[in-house]
């Protein structure tokens, strides 16, 4: 029997919104359709309409998410708006009488308190599924390394080092990403991806964070409404986990000369594994087999029909979420609200550590809330 079409609405039709639109187009044979978008910025709306027209998808457009919700046109809402807007949009979707499943772009929100309020609200709507867009988990070489670690081939993981060396932040609609107040800070905004991965590899929750970073090269000559951007462009972050594992992030956003954008290195008491993106390579060996035993594996995933901006991970993210929606009750989204919250808490702790030049405990950044930190995990 043919399954019912799952209808999507996209709130925020900028770079990631159109990326979701194109990914969903490639999932058309799975029974999905994008039926509406909401965006207050006319050029973004127009771009989405033109793109959808070329796919033969007539789109209904709205200038705001409330009208989109009221229309009752869609079953799933993709939230791909500036970070600072996620909180209110999520609360409006969750509190709307008509249930919608939600895929929200990372970071879940810009503060721990807002993440928690979203979690509280979502608890009252168990009929709605919410997935957070921490899609680096799905990049084939990273997914392969996660599998290797889960299979115990490297033993107990003791160290996780993630290096991201890349180009500066791109220009966004109305330059929202130039200021910490809109993004949560670089270590929340983009590094939540890496904190999420560290936690997965370590198999444990974070206890405390120490970071050093600054605005040293990028954006120094940019001025918006009389203000110079304050987002950091490089940092080292050290994280200690409950089980004694350690994580380290090495972020540099003026490193266009890198062969790989992400290099992930995981060492356990049995062996070492590495994942390289975009080379899409995994290297693995054990202490016993040493350097001569290093195997290099090409990581591919035949399910990917569209590589897009993130090496096929957005495609797999949608495939996974669609499966959770279709098997509701039996499957949960792979990346839930708590994962979103902890990745934000780690970023907030790292930003605070840079500001104050000291170790910051996760308890400290979560204690402003009425709940106990242990409830987070
Ligand atoms: N998963 C990833 O790797 C990844 C990569 C890039 C961006 N992102 C995230 O995606 C989100 C969007 O980023 P982007 O790069 O597409 O930015 P963008 O500036 O290209 O697009 C944002 C769009 O949202 C619209 N918008 C602003 N306020 C809105 C509102 N209240 N309702 C509806 N639309 C609104 C803007 O007009 C714009 O068209 C951010 O949360 C960002 O962190 C994720």
């Amino acid at each position: 029997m043919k399954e019912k079409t799952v209808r999507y609405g996209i709130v925020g039709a900028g770079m990631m919104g159109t990326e979701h639109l194109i990914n969903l187009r490639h999932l058309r044979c799975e029974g999905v359709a994008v039926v509406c978008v909401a965006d207050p910025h006319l050029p973004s709306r127009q771009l989405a309409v033109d793109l959808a027209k070329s796919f033969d998808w007539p789109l209904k457009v709205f200038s705001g998410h409330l009208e989109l919700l009221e229309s009752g046109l869609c079953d799933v809402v993709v939230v791909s708006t500036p970070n600072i807007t996620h909180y209110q949009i999520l609360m409006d979707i969750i509190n709307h009488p008509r249930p919608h499943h939600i895929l929200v772009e990372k970071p879940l929100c810009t503060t721990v308190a807002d993440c928690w309020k979203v979690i509280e609200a979502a608890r009252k709507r168990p009929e709605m599924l919410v997935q957070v867009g921490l899609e680096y988990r799905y990049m084939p070489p990273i997914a392969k390394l996660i599998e290797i670690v889960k299979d115990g081939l490297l033993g107990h993981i003791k160290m996780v080092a993630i290096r991201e060396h890349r180009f500066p932040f791109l220009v966004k609609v109305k330059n929202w990403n130039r200021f910490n107040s809109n993004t949560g800070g670089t270590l929340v905004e983009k590094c939540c991806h890496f904190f999420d991965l560290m936690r997965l590899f370590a198999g444990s929750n974070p206890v405390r964070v120490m970071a050093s970073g600054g605005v040293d090269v990028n954006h120094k000559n940019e001025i918006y409404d009389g203000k110079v951007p304050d987002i950091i462009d490089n940092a080292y972050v050290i994280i200690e986990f409950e089980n004694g594992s350690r994580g380290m992030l090495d972020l540099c956003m003026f490193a266009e000369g890198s062969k790989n954008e992400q290099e992930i290195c995981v060492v356990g008491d049995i062996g070492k594994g590495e994942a390289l993106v975009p080379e899409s390579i995994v290297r693995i060996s054990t202490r016993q087999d040493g350097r001569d035993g290093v195997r290099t594996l090409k990581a591919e995933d035949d399910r990917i029909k569209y590589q897009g901006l993130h090496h096929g991970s957005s495609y797999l993210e949608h495939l996974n979420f669609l499966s959770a929606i279709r098997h509701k009750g039996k499957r949960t989204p792979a990346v839930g609200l708590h994962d979103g919250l902890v990745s934000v808490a780690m970023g907030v702790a790292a930003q605070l550590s840079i500001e104050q030049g000291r170790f910051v405990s996760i308890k400290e950044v979560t204690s402003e809330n009425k709940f106990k930190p242990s409830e987070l995990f």
Side-chain angles (χ1 to χ4, degrees), residues 196-245:
D196 178 58
L197 293 180
M198 277 184 200
R199 197 172 141 248
L200 264 189
F201 284 121
S204 186
N205 282 310
V207 180
R208 60 176 195 157
V209 177
M210 175 78 200
S212 167
V215 195
D216 292 326
V217 176
N218 299 339
H219 320 302
K220 284 176 169 288
N221 299 322
E222 299 172 18
I223 296 182
Y224 306 97
D225 292 332
K227 287 187 292 181
V228 178
D230 57 2
I231 42 170
I232 63 169
D233 58 15
N234 72 102
Y236 289 120
V237 184
I238 295 171
I239 293 113
E240 293 177 349
F241 290 89
E242 265 167 13
N243 66 0
S245 308

Side-chain angles (χ1 to χ4, degrees), residues 299-344:
E300 275 156 7
D301 191 319
D302 296 342
R303 293 171 301 167
I304 298 172
K305 295 210 177 84
Y306 176 64
Q307 291 291 327
L309 302 173
H310 298 100
H311 316 292
S313 60
S314 301
Y315 181 89
L316 293 176
E317 169 180 65
H318 276 294
L319 199 61
N320 183 285
F321 193 41
L322 182 63
S323 163
I325 291 168
R326 287 243 160 88
H327 297 90
K328 203 175 165 295
K330 294 191 211 102
R331 290 189 201 162
T332 48
V335 197
L337 285 168
H338 279 86
D339 299 311
L341 180 146
V342 182
S343 65
V344 167

